[in-house]
Amino acid sequence: MKQVKVIGIASGVGANHPGCSLGAAVLRQSDHFSQLLTQHALKPVWELLLPPAAEGLKARVVQRICRQMASKIETIVIEGQPFVAIGGDHSSAMGIWAGVMRALQPVRKLGLIWIDAHLDLHTFATSLSCNLHGMPLAALLGQGDPQLSDIYGDGPLLEPQNLILIGVRSYEPAEKELLQQLNLTWYGMDAIGVTGSLQTILERAVARITSRTDQFGISIDLDAIDPADAPAVGTPVPGGIAGQELCKALMSIRNDSRLVGIEIAEFNPLFDRDHRTEYLIGGLVAALYGETSSPNKFFGSSSSGIRSHVCPTPNSSAKP
């Protein structure tokens, strides 16, 4: 039985709905989750469940959580252990990937594959809601305004050429402008549809990232997946990636020694239906780290596929 280290983040203060603070605890106690991993020869080892730091302004709470998370992840990476970080809202990415980059300094570089319906390139200057779960990539890239930069700290920073975004279909004009300014590589749902295979896109992304970095990570916001397969999110966007399609794609890069870890964010169990998202999260982890060769029945139906070949123009469905 292969052990996989799982770190839970019990915080939703950066999101539009606090229910995602419950996600890690629900999975830790879930027989469905543990049994699914067992079927794929995996034993989850819960390293730490970060409690919510409820006192103070939201920005300061997120700052404390991210710094605590960065310290924990840095230690894990230095020890050479791959990890699964379970959120919590996506603002925790600022701590997770900062910790990885600190561990790799000064010689090694990180590549990051960001699978998300949204660009997450907002700052306090561009966001109407000021919810921090829409800002982590701007901070990681060193593009935050003073308030966001203060939360994130001095770095380290992710190099734009070492980031690839997949599944984007909802964003604001200011985010698109920053994406173009930084010349970021991204694959919207239209690109995935033209290629005909998310697996092909992911394999290309890994090859491109690893050609100029030493290790890579994967950040998955569950709203990248079609709401029919992952209903338990606070900001669902129709026309997403099918759950089975994403699991199959992850299986194609299974056990790549350059993979440092994976983040799965925005699981809000209050919105789940029939444990559908809960099963899917187990399927994603098993697909990437499991030891069996075929997808579990909970990965989705055999007819599942990418549900949209059209990438919407900027609109009000961007992450609030």
Side-chain angles (χ1 to χ4, degrees):
M1 187 76 67
K2 178 181 176 181
Q3 292 187 346
V4 58
K5 183 158 292 188
V6 185
I7 305 99
I9 310 165
S11 175
V13 295
N16 63 319
H17 193 290
C20 57
S21 65
L22 306 172
V26 166
L27 286 177
R28 188 176 188 178
Q29 298 164 9
S30 168
D31 290 336
H32 303 296
F33 181 74
S34 60
Q35 288 172 6
L36 181 54
L37 296 194
T38 299
Q39 291 173 12
H40 291 267
L42 285 175
K43 179 181 179 181
V45 178
W46 288 85
E47 176 71 16
L48 177 68
L49 185 68
L50 288 173
E55 297 182 358
L57 297 173
K58 285 186 176 182
R60 294 301 165 213
V61 172
V62 170
Q63 182 187 63
R64 291 196 296 268
I65 290 170
C66 286
R67 291 181 180 178
Q68 184 182 0
M69 199 67 198
S71 178
K72 186 63 188 176
I73 292 291
E74 181 181 9
T75 300
I76 291 172
V77 175
I78 289 173
E79 292 172 350
Q81 303 177 72
F83 64 84
V84 177
I86 300 289
D89 71 81
H90 216 177
S91 67
S92 296
M94 290 186 282
I96 293 167
W97 303 110
V100 173
M101 287 187 285
R102 271 173 23 191
L104 298 181
Q105 285 183 335
V107 178
R108 293 175 292 165
K109 290 186 177 181
L110 173 71
L112 185 58
I113 296 173
W114 192 271
I115 302 175
D116 198 326
H118 306 91
L119 288 177
D120 287 355
L121 288 172
H122 271 303
T123 69
F124 283 99
T126 65
S127 173
L128 294 177
S129 69
C130 290
N131 286 329
L132 278 152
H133 70 161
M135 305 183 191
L137 265 186
L140 286 165
L141 291 164
Q143 298 297 316
D145 53 31
Q147 189 175 355
L148 181 57
S149 298
D150 179 53
I151 294 169
Y152 181 65
D154 297 330
L157 300 176
L158 182 67
E159 297 179 21
Q161 66 269 25
N162 296 335
L163 169 70
I164 294 179
L165 300 99
I166 297 174
V168 175
R169 58 192 184 277
S170 179
Y171 45 84
E172 301 284 356
E175 295 180 285
K176 181 67 176 294
E177 182 179 345
L178 182 56
L179 177 141
Q180 293 173 333
Q181 175 187 325
L182 297 176
N183 196 28
L184 298 177
T185 300
W186 67 303
Y187 296 94
M189 295 305 297
D190 55 344
I192 297 172
V194 168
T195 305
S197 171
L198 179 64
Q199 178 177 327
T200 300
I201 293 288
L202 184 60
E203 289 173 349
R204 287 178 184 173
V206 170
R208 180 168 180 169
I209 285 275
T210 55
S211 69
R212 53 179 172 243
T213 63
D214 302 281
Q215 291 185 267
F216 73 98
I218 300 174
S219 178
I220 298 176
D221 186 320
L222 290 168
D223 65 29
I225 301 163
D226 196 90
D229 289 344
V233 297
T235 54
V237 184
I241 298 166
Q244 184 191 46
E245 189 78 10
L246 182 53
C247 288
K248 286 182 175 179
L250 292 175
M251 285 180 68
S252 73
I253 61 168
R254 172 183 289 179
N255 297 323
D256 190 315
S257 61
R258 298 164 297 185
L259 177 66
V260 67
I262 183 172
E263 169 193 19
I264 300 175
E266 299 282 345
F267 172 46
N268 188 331
L270 299 180
F271 297 148
D272 212 359
R273 296 195 296 271
D274 302 320
H275 304 285
R276 197 174 302 169
T277 315
E278 189 178 321
Y279 284 133
L280 177 61
I281 294 171
L284 296 172
V285 175
L288 197 58
Y289 290 114
E291 297 183 353
T292 54
S293 59
S294 60
N296 185 275
K297 63 181 179 179
F298 297 120
F299 283 15
S301 69
S302 59
S303 61
S304 293
I306 297 167
R307 291 186 165 85
S308 175
H309 293 175
V310 178
C311 188
T313 54
N315 55 49
S316 60
S317 66
K319 184 177 283 183

